[in-house]
């Protein structure tokens, strides 16, 4: 009986109906019949494998037994193999000799691999294509996966004579007990490589460094995994390749932080720009951006630039939110100081002369100047001096 999964041989799901199994068998039988492929040396073995799989899955009783135990035929009691009684008999009185050689090891799928790829926030905004180098096991090019040196091939294991089993016999009060396990020399395969391949040392696979191209889509998120089918390790005994999973790591950005598809940052502005308003340019992820600062902007106010965040994998784009950071000059010239003092007088700021005089100035009557008059000219003059 074939060692591969029977459903996989016929290319059907485990929940397939009997009609679907029949249709799959007929299609494969027509395609793989030795008469149809006279030049294919594997056609006969493949055709036999398909027939064996169909003989089990087309029989409801055998299919049920296979689904429960994963095996049908010589190794199961109901179909001609050992029964529970046979196992008890073997335990106490010694196992009966088995002359059939072990079946060759079936194909094994290669292992999946993981690679952590660090990208920048700019890469998230635009998408990026990277070339990475991945160490992985590949089928040995010298022996083509057989493990044997060219001109030779695996031989019958001399230790177990091809059975793949090692037996240890012990005498107990109940009789002779035989303990059976995989052969230590061939690992249970029944074959032995007398002349191993010098390049892979008999393993059939060797580690190489492979360059793989990874296309990272715009809008990808930190921790997201990209699957590259068939870029994992090569399988053993002709098995399929595994997959490569590239895990995305987004590096911290010196200016912006991410919140979903939105970006958060700071916008430094002068106190004159905050008071009078302005259009301010700043460096965004995708080039120079312009944001309007409304008059009277307070420190910490949030300014929104719509549609200038990050793209979304599902479509659309986020916003850019800038927190106003009002910068106060640390050193002033005499002219700048005089202007600020004049503005403080106009605004009646605490500590100014006008604030100290307070109500006394108001009592002097109509000759007193309105405290609000003249603020704009002072601020306009300060714009040139303080920026």
């Amino acid at each position: 009986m074939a060692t591969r999964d029977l459903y996989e041989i016929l290319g059907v799901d485990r929940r397939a109906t009997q009609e679907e199994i029949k249709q799959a068998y007929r299609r494969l039988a027509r395609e793989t019949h030795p008469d149809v492929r006279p030049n294919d040396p594997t056609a006969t073995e493949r055709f036999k494998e398909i027939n064996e799989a169909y003989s089990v899955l087309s029989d409801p009783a055998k299919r049920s037994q296979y689904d429960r135990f994963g095996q049908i035929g010589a190794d199961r009691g109901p179909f001609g193999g050992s029964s529970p009684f046979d196992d008890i008999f073997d335990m106490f009185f010694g196992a009966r000799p088995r002359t059939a050689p072990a079946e060759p090891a079936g194909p094994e799928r290669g292992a999946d691999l993981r690679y952590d790829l660090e990208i920048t926030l700019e890469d998230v905004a635009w998408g990026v294509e990277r070339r990475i180098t991945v160490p992985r096991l590949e089928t040995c090019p010298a022996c083509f996966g057989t493990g044997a040196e060219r001109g030779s091939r695996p031989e019958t294991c001399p230790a177990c004579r091809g059975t793949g089993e090692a037996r240890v016999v012990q005498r107990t009060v109940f009789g002779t007990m035989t303990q059976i396990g995989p052969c230590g020399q061939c690992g249970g395969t029944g074959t032995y490589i007398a002349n191993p391949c010098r390049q892979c040392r008999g393993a059939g696979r060797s580690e190489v460094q492979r360059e793989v191209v990874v296309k990272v889509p715009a809008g990808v998120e930190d921790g997201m995994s990209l699957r590259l089918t068939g870029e994992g390790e090569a399988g053993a005994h002709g098995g399929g390749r595994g997959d490569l999973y590239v895990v995305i790591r987004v590096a911290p950005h010196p200016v912006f932080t991410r919140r979903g598809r939105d970006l958060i940052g700071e916008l430094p502005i002068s106190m004159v720009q905050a008071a009078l308003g302005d259009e301010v340019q700043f460096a965004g992820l995708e080039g120079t951006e312009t944001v309007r600062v409304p008059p009277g902007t307070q420190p910490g106010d949030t300014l929104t630039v719509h549609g200038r965040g990050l793209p979304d994998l599902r479509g659309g784009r986020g916003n850019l939110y800038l927190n106003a950071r009002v910068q106060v000059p640390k050193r002033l010239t005499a002219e700048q100081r005089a202007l600020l003092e004049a503005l403080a007088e106009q605004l009646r700021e605490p500590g100014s002369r006008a604030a100290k005089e307070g109500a006394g100035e108001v009592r002097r009557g109509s000759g007193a100047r309105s405290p609000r008059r003249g603020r704009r000219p002072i601020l306009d003059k300060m714009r040139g001096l303080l920026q």
Side-chain angles (χ1 to χ4, degrees), residues 72-89:
I72 293 293
D75 294 326
R76 288 290 171 187
F79 301 98
S82 63
S83 66
F85 176 79
D86 294 329
D87 294 337
I88 295 173
F89 184 91

Side-chain angles (χ1 to χ4, degrees), residues 141-193:
C143 66
F144 305 104
T146 65
E149 191 68 23
R150 288 189 181 183
S152 64
R153 61 182 180 178
E155 303 172 0
T156 300
C157 176
C160 65
R161 297 183 181 180
T163 64
E165 297 176 346
R167 297 167 178 266
V168 178
V169 180
Q170 295 178 335
R171 295 186 178 277
T172 69
V173 294
F174 299 103
T176 302
M177 180 178 292
T178 303
Q179 197 171 15
I180 304 174
C183 173
Q185 184 163 341
C186 67
T189 63
T191 57
Y192 173 72
I193 300 177

Side-chain angles (χ1 to χ4, degrees), residues 13-190:
D13 189 83
R14 285 184 172 272
R15 294 168 292 185
T17 64
Q18 289 297 321
E19 184 60 29
E20 290 173 336
I21 290 174
K22 182 185 294 185
Q23 291 176 0
Y25 166 72
R26 289 177 176 175
R27 176 178 55 81
L28 290 172
R30 286 195 300 267
E31 294 174 356
T32 60
H33 196 282
D35 292 341
V36 178
R37 297 175 176 270
N39 298 324
D40 186 355
T42 65
T44 301
E45 197 63 33
R46 172 70 172 143
F47 186 70
K48 179 182 176 183
E49 187 180 48
I50 292 169
N51 278 278
E52 288 177 345
Y54 180 69
S55 68
V56 173
L57 299 184
S58 62
D59 187 318
K62 290 183 179 181
R63 182 180 180 183
S64 175
Q65 187 79 4
Y66 177 78
D67 289 343
R68 290 176 60 195
F69 300 107
Q71 194 171 359
I72 293 293
D75 294 326
R76 288 290 171 187
F79 301 98
S82 63
S83 66
F85 176 79
D86 294 329
D87 294 337
I88 295 173
F89 184 91
D90 288 349
M91 181 180 296
F92 291 104
F93 300 103
R96 288 161 293 183
R98 299 181 186 178
T99 56
E103 293 186 1
E108 297 178 9
R109 182 179 180 274
D112 294 333
L113 298 176
R114 167 177 171 155
Y115 188 97
D116 286 8
L117 176 63
E118 184 175 88
I119 62 175
T120 65
L121 205 56
E122 286 82 2
D123 295 332
V124 175
W126 291 93
V128 68
E129 185 176 293
R130 291 283 184 84
R131 293 182 179 272
I132 62 175
T133 301
V134 181
R136 67 188 188 191
L137 290 178
E138 296 278 5
T139 300
C140 176
C143 66
F144 305 104
T146 65
E149 191 68 23
R150 288 189 181 183
S152 64
R153 61 182 180 178
E155 303 172 0
T156 300
C157 176
C160 65
R161 297 183 181 180
T163 64
E165 297 176 346
R167 297 167 178 266
V168 178
V169 180
Q170 295 178 335
R171 295 186 178 277
T172 69
V173 294
F174 299 103
T176 302
M177 180 178 292
T178 303
Q179 197 171 15
I180 304 174
C183 173
Q185 184 163 341
C186 67
T189 63

Side-chain angles (χ1 to χ4, degrees), residues 246-281:
V246 179
V247 180
I248 300 300
R249 298 299 180 197
V250 182
H253 195 271
V255 177
F256 301 107
T257 56
R258 182 180 189 177
R259 187 177 62 195
R261 62 179 188 174
D262 296 328
L263 289 175
I264 314 296
E266 285 189 342
L267 181 69
I269 57 176
S270 71
M271 60 183 188
V272 177
Q273 289 174 313
L276 299 179
D278 198 0
E279 285 192 351
V280 180
Q281 291 187 332

